[in-house]
Every structure is written in C-alpha cells, then in structure tokens.
Amino acid sequence: MVTVRPAAVVVLAAGEGTRMRSSVPKVLHRLGGRSMVGHALATARALEPQRVAVVVRHERDAVAAHVLETDPDVLLVDQDDIPGTGRAVQVAMSALDAAAQAATADAATGPDVAGAAAESVLAGAVVVVAGDVPLLDAGTLRELLAAHAADGNAVTVLTTEVPEPTGYGRILREPGTGDVLGIVEEKDASQEQRAITEINTSVYVFDAAVLRSALARLGRDNAQGEVYLTDVLAIARGDGGHVRALRTDDRLSVEGVNDRVQLAVLRAELNRRLLEDWMREGVTVVDPASTWVDVDVELARDVTLLPGTQLHGATVVGEGATVGPDTTLTDVEVGARATVVRTHGSLSVVGEGATVGPFAYLRPGTDLGADGKIGTFVETKNAQIGTGSKIPHLSYVGDATIGEHSNIGAASVTVNFDGVNKHRTVIGSHARTGSDNMFVAPVVVGDGAYTGAGTVVRRDVPPGALAVSAGSQRNIEGWVARSRAGTPAAEAAARARGTRDVAGLSPQARAELERAATAAVPVTPPPNLPGQPAQLDDPTDTPAGSTTTEDGKQR
C-alpha cells in the first residue's frame, strides 16, 4: 500500500449533540480513556498531515480548550451561524489557505514576498472526518488515501453497508462503472433511494483544488436548509472529476455517536478490541467481560488481569505482574512480577516484585520499592517506601519517607497535618516500629531503631535506639464490682471469682477482692483528665513506680 501524506485533516466538531441530553458537549464524552474528539485527533495525527484543523461552534470554549490541551498544534476554526457540514469545511479551508499563505510569507525572501504569499494556497489531499466517530482507525484512512491517489480521484468517500439505513445519507452509484453519482440525505431521498443500504460514513478525501472550487458553489436548497458537504461530490463529478467510494466491512469502526446508547455500544466494542489485541500480545485476561483497559495503557507479556480490573490513563504493567481481582489503577506504574490485589490507586509506582493489597488505597505520590509490601487496609499518600520495606496492615502513611527493609507495625499513622501545614515523617532503613504507633511529624526515626507498641513518637529517635512512651500497666482489682455493680460485666466477674483459685493470687489481688466483697457503697471515680493524676482508692496508697523519702514525701 502506498503511503500518502495528506495536506490537511479537517475534524468536524461543531455539532450540538442534543440527543446526548448532557451538559457536556457530545465530542467530549469519553470512551477508552479519551474523548471522542481526542480519538479523532489521534487518528488524524497518525496520518502525519501538514496541518490538522478542528471546526468548533456549540459549547465552543469547552471544546476548544480540550482540543488545545489534547493537541496544542491544531488549527482551531470557528463556524458561523450558517448551518451544515459544507459550511464547516468552507471555513476550515479558508483558515487552512490563510495558514498556508502565512507559512509562505514567513519562508519567502526577495522583493515579491506579498505576491508569493497571496498565490499560495493549500494543495494536495484533504481528509475530512467527523469528531464523533471514535473507532475510526488510521489504517482505514491510509487505505482510503491510497485508493484516492492510485485512481487519481477528485473525491473518494468511505462507505459501508448497514441492514437498517434510516437516518443516513445513501450512496448513489453509476450502473456499470460503480462510480459515485452523489449522496442523497434521508429527508431528500425518494422511496427508491431510501431502500439503498450503502451509506455515507462522512469520511472523505478531497483534492484541495476540487474542494475549494466546489465549496464556492454550494447552496442551501434542501429540506433542512443547510449547506451540505455531500453536494461537493455531484459538483466534482459534473466538472469531470472521478468520484469513487471505498467500502469497509467494519461497520462499527465508522459508526457515529448520537446518544448514550450508541456510546455504550462503541465503548464496549473498543474495549473488546483492545483486550483482544493485548491477548494476542501475550497478556492473560481471565474475564474480558469485566476487564476494562484504556487506549494508552501499556502491558508487557505474561501480565495477568483478573476479573474486575480497570486500568486507566497511562498505566503501565510490567512483565509477569498480576493485577486484580477488583482493582482500579489510574496512571500507575506496576513493576515486573508485582502483585496488586483489590486495590484503588492513582499516580503511583509499585516496584518489581512488590505486593499491594488486598483493600489498599494508593494515593498520588506513592512509590513502593522493589519487593516491598503495602498490605490490607493500608492508605498511602506522597510516600516513598524503600526496597523490601513493609506496611502490612491497618495503617496510614502520608508525607513520609521509609528506608529499605523496614517494617511498620499494624495500626500505625504518620500524623502529618497540624491543621495548617503538612509535615514529613522519615523512618530509616532496617527499622522496626511497633503496632499502634503515632509518628507526629516532623519526626525522624533513625536506621535500625525500634519503637514499642502504643508509642507516640514526638521526638527524633536516634539510630539503634528503642523509643517507648507508654507507662507501666497497673491492674485495679475489683473495680468493676465497685464501679459497675449490677451490670452484666459485674455479674460475670463475680461468677469467675467464685471459681477462681484465690490461693494462687498475689497478696495485692486477694486484698482487692476482699475489699470489693465488703464494700458497702459503690464508688465511681472521676474521669482521668489530661494532666490530672488518677485518683487512688486510699489516700495513703503510693502510686506504682514512685518512692518515698525519709520525711514521708513522695518523689
């Protein structure tokens, strides 16, 4: 097949799309991770044209902003109040000719720069596509361009056969030669013409000179009062040009979207095609019906996607990795041989051989090193976690750096927000932190350090040190009998005391049990408030861990 580089591709994106019943412009509805007009632009760029023009009108600002964000080099063209695809291409050609003249003026030298620029207009093949035909691929357009060039056509139109052609323009062919006589729209067609099942896909290749000449002669003498682009074909043929058609059997690839039902059908078809392509490249998709992959996702061979997996954006999955089941990743890099199970993640990196989940939440900025672990019910954000380090379960690690081969105990939290600013926690390599730790940032735990269970780390922990903040445990025997008399807990405790071997208890425990049994009035002590010492049962009792001086004072 001859490769033909078009002079320009014109994308028609000015339609209102009322049947979508949406505040979002029709061409901005998404499938496979791209807007419909985004798909059209990607296909257009794959042809390597000199210029790409996009015609906008309804919801102009939203569509224009999205188009320029997607492809900053496009030529935006505004359609005026005159309706119809013919008018859209008229204004596009005017803009393309002006751009060609400007380019000539910039490149020209000598005394007659203005004259050379004025005579310069767009020349070559002009491809016209609709912005709401998302499955149209560059390969089909290359075939259309090749046929156009090989036959020396003035116009070449892409067509297809459909069992129910209602609503489409019908292709009128010349008996014998098969050349295209013209295209008749549904509302202008006769009963005989409406029986034709070959339809116009609104995809064309025009010779620029032919198109320019025919556009100048278009009128609005039709049932809808619009300027029809399809009238160009009859004009070109009347001028003696060859007008031919290339028929495609892939009907869905040229189907447009007018409502959300059609959008859902094409979204499912696009996903089916993407998964089929990946499976042929060596990816295992266990359940294609419940697996969704965007067009920009990259998968290596021997990747396994389990049921319920959704991969969005620029997600990349390395060789031999397993993702799923029930996992949604957006713009996440998963290393080779890694496993990500029942996880929601975005803008994160999972290193080679690492494991994530189940029920993990990777927020933006998470970077898990090779062979590391983010386990069950763990949330991470803006966290760099070194090679071999583990956060196994029930923890939040945000705004943190963890070194290599460290282990973070269950139910740990990096307390990173003071109500105004975020602060960072740094935990070194080969550290072992206990369960239920609070790291009040900013704080640093050194290499090889340990922390005890229940520790609130407010100050830096030197390398190799053990940090603890909990006091010694004290059991107050008989407290339930005195303070919660009559409750099920008190009754259960009494039953247990009746069967307990009292002789095996400590003297303190036996004294507490005796006092509980003889207490006449239950006393409920006041709550322990911050900064207030616990009330003792006997004013003469000495708190655990304290000593007494010779003068009887506690210290």
Side-chain angles (χ1 to χ4, degrees):
M1 184 178 66
V2 178
T3 301
V4 179
R5 184 184 179 193
V9 177
V10 177
V11 179
L12 305 182
E16 188 172 1
T18 55
R19 281 183 280 175
M20 295 297 289
R21 298 184 180 275
S22 175
S23 61
V24 177
K26 179 173 77 167
V27 295
L28 300 192
H29 282 264
R30 303 178 74 84
L31 65 167
R34 282 186 195 155
S35 66
M36 286 195 281
V37 72
H39 283 283
L41 289 172
T43 300
R45 283 299 180 194
L47 301 178
E48 299 182 346
Q50 297 173 30
R51 294 188 184 279
V52 174
V54 180
V55 183
V56 296
R57 175 167 172 74
H58 290 286
E59 299 290 342
R60 187 262 180 210
D61 290 345
V63 176
H66 175 77
V67 166
L68 290 176
E69 181 182 3
T70 304
D71 188 342
D73 295 327
V74 302
L75 178 63
L76 274 175
V77 183
D78 290 289
Q79 185 172 351
D80 53 23
D81 292 335
I82 300 174
T85 53
R87 182 56 180 171
V89 178
Q90 281 177 342
V91 296
M93 282 298 293
S94 296
L96 288 165
D97 284 342
Q101 291 170 357
T104 300
D106 288 342
T109 58
D112 193 23
V113 172
E119 295 177 1
S120 178
V121 292
L122 188 75
V126 178
V127 179
V128 177
V129 299
D132 61 354
V133 184
L135 268 60
L136 181 63
D137 61 285
T140 300
L141 289 181
R142 290 191 188 100
E143 290 182 14
L144 188 68
L145 280 162
H148 179 82
D151 294 342
N153 294 338
V155 184
T156 309
V157 58
L158 185 65
T159 70
T160 193
E161 293 267 0
V162 295
E164 177 46 65
T166 302
Y168 293 100
R170 309 305 203 279
I171 300 297
L172 306 180
R173 287 186 180 264
E174 182 180 55
T177 67
D179 286 0
V180 177
L181 296 172
I183 300 173
V184 60
E185 297 298 329
E186 172 84 18
K187 292 184 178 180
D188 301 307
S190 66
Q191 197 66 28
E192 182 182 359
Q193 290 169 335
R194 290 181 182 180
I196 297 171
T197 57
E198 185 181 13
I199 63 165
N200 175 30
T201 67
S202 299
V203 179
Y204 313 88
V205 180
F206 299 96
D207 176 80
V210 171
L211 179 60
R212 188 180 297 106
S213 173
L215 288 172
R217 291 176 272 170
L218 293 182
R220 300 173 62 181
D221 185 18
N222 52 65
Q224 300 191 84
E226 297 182 1
V227 181
Y228 286 161
L229 180 61
T230 51
D231 289 345
V232 169
L233 280 68
I235 294 173
R237 181 177 173 83
D239 290 344
H242 292 295
V243 179
R244 297 190 172 97
L246 178 69
R247 183 157 43 197
T248 177
D249 295 328
D250 187 357
R251 180 172 57 84
L252 288 178
S253 72
V254 292
E255 184 167 322
V257 173
N258 291 306
D259 57 33
R260 297 184 195 241
V261 174
Q262 290 175 314
L263 180 63
V265 169
L266 294 188
R267 181 182 288 120
E269 175 62 16
L270 174 61
N271 190 66
R272 185 195 68 78
R273 295 183 182 197
L274 288 169
L275 292 179
E276 183 176 300
D277 289 344
W278 283 121
M279 286 188 283
R280 296 189 187 283
E281 292 294 322
V283 174
T284 296
V285 182
V286 174
D287 182 21
S290 67
T291 303
W292 294 84
V293 174
D294 283 355
V295 293
D296 291 325
V297 168
E298 292 292 333
L299 305 174
R301 67 178 182 176
D302 292 324
V303 164
T304 298
L305 303 182
L306 298 176
T309 294
Q310 300 181 57
L311 303 181
H312 299 305
T315 294
V316 177
V317 183
E319 184 171 342
T322 298
V323 180
D326 306 323
T327 294
T328 300
L329 303 180
T330 303
D331 300 322
V332 173
E333 180 182 336
V334 180
R337 304 179 308 283
T339 301
V340 183
V341 180
R342 287 194 169 88
T343 293
H344 192 100
S346 61
L347 291 169
S348 299
V349 176
V350 177
E352 293 188 8
T355 61
V356 178
F359 308 113
Y361 183 21
L362 309 183
R363 292 170 59 189
T366 296
D367 189 343
L368 175 63
D371 300 315
K373 179 176 182 177
I374 292 175
T376 308
F377 299 113
V378 174
E379 177 181 348
T380 58
K381 185 266 297 182
N382 191 22
Q384 286 70 57
I385 303 158
T387 299
S389 287
K390 299 179 181 180
I391 311 168
H393 30 228
L394 300 166
S395 297
Y396 169 72
V397 175
D399 298 297
T401 299
I402 299 173
E404 298 181 352
H405 304 290
S406 289
N407 189 87
I408 308 302
S412 293
V413 174
T414 58
V415 186
N416 55 336
F417 187 45
D418 64 8
V420 178
N421 298 307
K422 297 289 183 69
H423 301 281
R424 197 157 192 85
T425 296
V426 177
I427 298 174
S429 297
H430 298 279
R432 298 289 183 269
T433 68
S435 296
D436 197 24
N437 276 197
M438 302 290 115
F439 299 92
V440 183
V443 70
V444 176
V445 177
D447 291 350
Y450 278 59
T451 62
T455 297
V456 178
V457 182
R458 299 180 182 274
R459 295 180 297 163
D460 291 354
V461 180
L466 168 64
V468 293
S469 66
S472 300
Q473 178 176 325
R474 179 185 179 194
N475 296 330
I476 302 175
E477 292 281 358
W479 182 88
V480 171
R482 296 193 304 276
S483 303
R484 298 291 185 267
T487 65
E491 294 172 0
R495 288 193 298 271
R497 283 199 308 271
T499 60
R500 179 186 289 180
D501 182 8
V502 177
L505 297 178
S506 67
Q508 178 188 350
R510 288 198 300 272
E512 293 285 358
L513 287 174
E514 271 181 40
R515 184 159 48 191
T518 57
V521 180
V523 177
T524 301
N528 291 330
L529 300 177
Q532 177 180 338
Q535 179 175 317
L536 302 177
D537 296 315
D538 187 333
T540 61
D541 284 352
T542 299
S546 64
T547 59
T548 306
T549 62
E550 291 181 358
D551 58 5
K553 294 182 180 180
Q554 293 178 6
R555 64 179 180 184

